[in-house]
């Protein structure tokens, strides 16, 4: 099962990818997470990427494509994966196909999670993440029982640098301007299933599973 989750920042791709990983025992791959880890580790690649990320701009394809290529070639992707935050533009979509064909496979399905801009803004500005286990909360929609701590592991919750108002707007604009050709690309190949991203995470998950 080789899945792509498309959707604007804040649409819930990360939450759904984690659920898919658990249900289907496949790895979840997020280019945003890979890049954030490279920044946190002080890796040279992270230093190159950080400025773009802080400004809410896309990191150049020359950095991102190599990362994805290397990740997909790891053994755990053999029986499938769910990737999100990628592809973000048409060049990345074409490159993904090429990478998959070099390892002898192709995408099974692309799910686009659609949500209006106002709700996306709410989701992103309320998003808090556990520093320890990565669980995602929303202080408005899915609050933790203790304001700043993870229910699951007690880890401290933090807000992503790029989840602040100005950067959020920029990220949504970038998504809108580049997503359409990607959506058209997958739609024309009969791979695309669009679902609405409003509702509880469980409701959305069921819709995705039906599509799968
Ligand atoms: P995300 O966690 O997917 O919202 O990504 C956070 C930031 O990482 C984005 O605003 C970009 O700066 C960068 N990023 C993540 N994925 C990509 C990608 N596929 N192409 C370029 N930049 C990306």
């Amino acid at each position: 099962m080789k899945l792509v989750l498309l959707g604007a920042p804040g649409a819930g791709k990360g939450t759904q990818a984690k659920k898919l990983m658990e249900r289907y025992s496949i790895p979840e791959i997020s280019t945003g997470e890979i890049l954030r880890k490279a920044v946190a580790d002080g890796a040279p690649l992270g230093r190159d990427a950080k400025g773009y990320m802080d400004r809410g701009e896309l990191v150049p394809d020359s950095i991102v494509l190599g990362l994805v290529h290397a990740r997909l070639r790891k053994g755990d992707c053999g029986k499938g994966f769910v990737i999100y935050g990628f592809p973000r533009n048409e060049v990345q979509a074409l490159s993904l196909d090429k990478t998959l064909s070099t390892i002898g496979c192709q995408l099974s399905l692309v799910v686009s999670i659609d949500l209006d801009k106002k709700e996306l803004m709410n989701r992103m500005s309320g998003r808090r993440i556990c520093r320890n286990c990565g669980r995602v909360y929303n202080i408005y929609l899915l609050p933790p029982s203790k304001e700043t701590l993870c229910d699951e592991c007690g880890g401290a919750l933090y807000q992503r640098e790029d989840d602040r108002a100005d950067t959020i707007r920029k990220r949504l604009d970038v998504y809108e301007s580049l997503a359409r050709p990607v959506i058209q690309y997958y739609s024309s190949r009969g791979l695309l299933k669009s679902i609405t991203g409003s509702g509880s995470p469980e409701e959305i998950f069921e819709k995705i599973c039906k599509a799968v």
Side-chain angles (χ1 to χ4, degrees), residues 9 30-33 35-36 52-53 56-59 61 64 85-88 92 127 160 162 171:
S30 151
T31 42
E33 274 177 25
L35 289 165
R36 278 188 289 281
Y52 298 97
M53 296 171 76
E57 294 168 9
L58 289 191
V59 173
D61 291 341
V64 175
F86 183 94
R88 286 269 229 287
Q92 295 186 0
R127 175 157 58 186
R160 271 170 52 172
D162 59 354
R171 288 163 65 207

Side-chain angles (χ1 to χ4, degrees), residues 16 28 33 43 53 66 81 86 98 118 121-122 152 161 167 191-192:
Q16 296 303 325
E28 49 127 19
E33 274 177 25
M53 296 171 76
F81 57 81
F86 183 94
K98 216 160 149 197
K118 199 169 154 224
M121 299 276 296
N122 273 343
E152 212 125 293
E161 273 299 316
T167 323
L191 282 172
L192 185 78

Side-chain angles (χ1 to χ4, degrees), residues 111-143:
V111 177
S112 172
I113 307 177
D114 303 334
L115 207 60
D116 70 46
K117 205 164 179 171
K118 199 169 154 224
E119 197 161 344
L120 290 168
M121 299 276 296
N122 273 343
R123 293 232 190 143
M124 277 193 280
S125 57
R127 175 157 58 186
R128 298 291 183 274
I129 304 168
C130 173
R131 226 175 253 294
N132 183 44
C133 72
R135 185 168 160 185
V136 180
Y137 295 85
N138 186 295
I139 53 171
Y140 311 121
L141 307 166
L142 193 72

